[in-house]
Amino acid sequence: IIEIKNLKKNYTLGKTLVPALRGLNFTVETGDLLSVIGPSGSGKTTLLNIIGCIDFPTEGSVRIGHEEITLMNDKQITQIRLNKIGFIFQTFNLIPVLDVAENIEFPLLLMKKHSKKEIRKHAEKLADDVGLKDFLRHRPAELSGGQRQRVAIARALVTNPDIVLADEPTANLDSQTGAQILELMKKMNEQEKTTFLFSTHDPNVLKYARKIVQLKDGLIIKESCN
Amino acid sequence: IIEIKNLKKNYTLGKTLVPALRGLNFTVETGDLLSVIGPSGSGKTTLLNIIGCIDFPTEGSVRIGHEEITLMNDKQITQIRLNKIGFIFQTFNLIPVLDVAENIEFPLLLMKKHSKKEIRKHAEKLADDVGLKDFLRHRPAELSGGQRQRVAIARALVTNPDIVLADEPTANLDSQTGAQILELMKKMNEQEKTTFLFSTHDPNVLKYARKIVQLKDGLIIKESCN
Ligand SMILES: Nc1ncnc2c1ncn2[C@@H]1O[C@H](COP(=O)(O)OP(=O)(O)OP(=O)(O)O)[C@@H](O)[C@H]1O
Ligand SMILES: Nc1ncnc2c1ncn2[C@@H]1O[C@H](COP(=O)(O)OP(=O)(O)OP(=O)(O)O)[C@@H](O)[C@H]1O
Ligand SMILES: [Mg+2]
Ligand SMILES: [Mg+2]
């Protein structure tokens, strides 16, 4: 479902070129649970942002569902991002003025496929799944770090996307709460065949991965099956 | 150096009362390496924010260096926060328009105790200690999550404070980079007798702790020596 060929990404900083990705090649099959690992600064977020159609490559090919996203226009990219992908940001990126329920249901309101009542019910179910049933009226600033992270997780899963990109999804969670989230994702993967691509430093997340891709300085140094 | 008695903190959310801390009692000796652990939402950040003089208690006593901070005025609190405490936020709180070197040296500029040249030299030394020697001109938005976290760590250590409060300091770091940071803190603790209070979910951080305080729903359920 995801095919990456010779993917390169350069950032420019004043006059300096920062090569964050230097030519990546790998494939993710439908229903895979793949984990990207590597030191801080090795390019994990950059890679996930490109697959998530949030950033664009400098060079190379990225196919999602056999469609080349580097050839798409803004409208097509927005459609893929909304309908096919769920993204859990390393920095959460919640909307500060909305409460927990409103943050989670937000992408469903954009898709306009269900009634408001059904949408709210579904969002509250996801809030309960991530342990935040008693925090629905809290705004992001009125939550702990790990609670904000869980709102971001629920928001990415609520649209039942084909692909979930999770950037360090358990970084702010204790191991028990983290396990609850990983079990939720595993269930989705078994029941809906959702494809998961994690970036992580957490050994507990790696236990759930079936494939592991190891990055170092913007290059893949190892691919293995778990 | 830190004495907590019957510490309570309530947040108000509309008409609801959220009791984040429900009466904590513990002591930290000078030169301790103490770790606070507990599930997401158990009150770790709330506790560190109060000891760090960033937030105030609803009830109870907090002594730092035998001085009762709940009886201090704003000016005294600001002095303690600047001169005695280094704080590493769970959300980093870097200044977006300043680059890495400028963010790290910022508290030293506020203290006005050294020349600008000395301050910049010291800030660049700390940047090198946390592995960011090649990123001095990057702004926070031009850094990875773990690189931003390391800038926040360097900024907290650069003033050589009596007490360092570190809220999940390794959450965005791979284990090798995390170990580099913990070794740096251990060295400071041995050489300067700096007191460290970590909040963490990371088992690697716990290895460095000599005391562990376990929180659950705003109460201490266990205190142990490591
Ligand atoms: N401003 C606020 N208003 C209302 N409730 C709040 C506010 N800030 C925090 N809380 C609540 O207080 C409780 C403790 O939060 P705190 O941030 O201290 O937890 P934590 O142990 O640091 O969690 P984590 O490991 O997820 O970072 C949480 O349940 C949170 O929802
Ligand atoms: N906008 C930018 N401008 C310049 N350099 C950037 C920019 N964004 C990222 N970088 C650099 O690209 C490299 C890769 O960053 P990336 O965020 O992908 O790393 P990462 O593997 O996610 O790290 P972490 O585990 O710390 O989150 C880093 O060295 C970073 O400094
Ligand atoms: Mg990252
Ligand atoms: Mg916290």
Side-chain angles (χ1 to χ4, degrees):
Chain A
I1 194 166
I2 304 172
E3 295 157 85
I4 310 278
K5 283 197 187 109
N6 192 30
L7 179 61
K8 290 181 185 172
K9 175 70 184 179
N10 296 329
Y11 293 111
T12 47
L13 196 70
K15 295 192 189 68
T16 331
L17 197 76
V18 180
L21 300 178
R22 299 164 186 253
L24 302 189
N25 296 282
F26 72 101
T27 303
V28 185
E29 311 289 341
T30 302
D32 264 356
L33 280 170
L34 183 143
S35 212
V36 180
I37 61 174
S40 170
S42 54
K44 302 178 296 297
T45 294
T46 302
L47 172 61
L48 260 66
N49 284 352
I50 288 173
I51 296 172
C53 302
I54 288 163
D55 197 3
F56 53 90
T58 305
E59 219 182 294
S61 155
V62 179
R63 284 173 179 272
I64 295 182
H66 304 300
E67 290 174 62
E68 181 56 59
I69 61 169
T70 56
L71 299 178
M72 287 182 186
N73 62 33
D74 270 2
K75 215 166 147 232
Q76 288 167 312
I77 290 266
T78 307
Q79 282 312 304
I80 285 202
R81 210 163 52 202
L82 181 63
N83 293 305
K84 284 205 173 171
I85 297 171
F87 203 111
I88 303 165
F89 294 90
Q90 189 168 3
T91 51
F92 317 154
N93 289 345
L94 300 179
I95 299 172
V97 295
L98 300 182
D99 66 25
V100 167
E102 292 166 336
N103 261 288
I104 295 173
E105 70 185 8
F106 192 78
L108 285 176
L109 290 177
L110 290 180
M111 289 169 105
K112 298 190 181 98
K113 279 183 193 153
H114 305 280
S115 75
K116 279 207 171 154
K117 215 167 144 200
E118 280 173 330
I119 286 175
R120 176 52 61 105
K121 205 171 143 221
H122 192 47
E124 290 185 354
K125 159 98 182 44
L126 259 297
D128 189 13
D129 287 345
V130 298
L132 294 179
K133 190 175 54 149
D134 299 330
F135 295 88
L136 295 177
R137 298 287 78 78
H138 286 237
R139 291 184 175 189
E142 296 161 341
L143 291 170
S144 79
Q147 290 169 339
R148 285 193 290 269
Q149 184 153 41
R150 285 182 275 160
V151 175
I153 291 166
R155 178 181 63 181
L157 304 182
V158 79
T159 56
N160 201 8
D162 296 338
I163 300 168
V164 174
L165 304 173
D167 198 348
E168 308 271 359
T170 60
N172 287 272
L173 301 177
D174 56 286
S175 48
Q176 205 174 343
T177 309
Q180 188 186 346
I181 296 299
L182 291 163
E183 282 299 326
L184 177 67
M185 291 179 172
K186 190 178 163 214
K187 205 172 85 183
M188 248 180 107
N189 173 260
E190 286 162 357
Q191 290 176 354
E192 315 279 344
K193 275 232 152 296
T194 315
T195 303
F196 283 89
L197 203 69
F198 297 104
S199 116
T200 190
H201 299 305
D202 183 346
N204 295 328
V205 174
L206 281 188
K207 274 184 225 144
Y208 283 79
R210 285 197 291 263
K211 276 187 194 172
I212 295 177
V213 167
Q214 196 171 347
L215 282 188
K216 190 169 187 298
D217 291 333
L219 281 170
I220 292 178
I221 58 170
K222 194 176 162 193
E223 259 189 88
S224 52
C225 284
N226 203 13
Chain B
I1 194 168
I2 305 172
E3 294 157 85
I4 310 275
K5 283 197 186 106
N6 192 29
L7 178 60
K8 292 183 184 171
K9 174 69 184 180
N10 296 330
Y11 292 111
T12 47
L13 195 69
K15 293 192 192 67
T16 332
L17 197 77
V18 181
L21 300 177
R22 297 162 187 255
L24 303 189
N25 294 281
F26 72 100
T27 303
V28 185
E29 311 291 340
T30 301
D32 263 356
L33 280 170
L34 184 144
S35 211
V36 180
I37 61 173
S40 169
S42 54
K44 302 178 296 298
T45 294
T46 303
L47 173 61
L48 261 66
N49 285 351
I50 289 172
I51 296 172
C53 303
I54 286 163
D55 196 2
F56 53 91
T58 306
E59 219 182 295
S61 153
V62 180
R63 284 171 179 273
I64 293 183
H66 304 301
E67 291 175 61
E68 181 57 58
I69 60 168
T70 56
L71 299 177
M72 287 183 186
N73 61 33
D74 269 3
K75 213 166 152 234
Q76 289 167 309
I77 289 264
T78 307
Q79 282 314 305
I80 283 200
R81 210 162 53 202
L82 181 62
N83 293 307
K84 283 203 171 171
I85 297 172
F87 204 111
I88 303 166
F89 295 89
Q90 188 168 2
T91 50
F92 316 156
N93 289 346
L94 300 180
I95 299 173
V97 294
L98 300 182
D99 67 25
V100 167
E102 291 166 335
N103 261 288
I104 294 173
E105 72 186 6
F106 193 77
L108 285 175
L109 291 175
L110 289 179
M111 287 168 106
K112 298 192 178 95
K113 279 183 194 153
H114 306 280
S115 75
K116 279 206 173 157
K117 216 170 146 195
E118 280 173 332
I119 286 175
R120 176 51 62 106
K121 205 170 147 219
H122 192 49
E124 291 185 355
K125 161 98 182 48
L126 260 296
D128 189 12
D129 286 345
V130 297
L132 294 179
K133 191 175 51 144
D134 300 332
F135 295 88
L136 295 178
R137 299 285 77 80
H138 286 238
R139 290 185 175 188
E142 296 160 344
L143 291 171
S144 79
Q147 290 169 339
R148 284 193 291 270
Q149 185 153 43
R150 286 180 274 160
V151 174
I153 291 167
R155 177 182 63 182
L157 303 182
V158 79
T159 55
N160 201 8
D162 298 337
I163 300 168
V164 173
L165 303 174
D167 199 347
E168 310 269 0
T170 60
N172 287 274
L173 302 178
D174 57 287
S175 48
Q176 206 173 344
T177 309
Q180 189 185 344
I181 297 298
L182 291 163
E183 282 300 327
L184 177 67
M185 291 179 175
K186 188 176 164 216
K187 204 172 84 185
M188 247 179 108
N189 173 260
E190 285 162 358
Q191 290 175 352
E192 314 279 344
K193 273 232 155 296
T194 314
T195 303
F196 283 90
L197 203 70
F198 298 103
S199 117
T200 189
H201 298 308
D202 183 345
N204 295 327
V205 173
L206 282 187
K207 275 184 222 141
Y208 283 81
R210 284 197 290 266
K211 276 188 194 171
I212 296 178
V213 167
Q214 196 170 348
L215 283 188
K216 190 171 188 297
D217 290 331
L219 281 170
I220 293 176
I221 57 170
K222 194 176 163 195
E223 260 190 85
S224 52
C225 285
N226 204 9

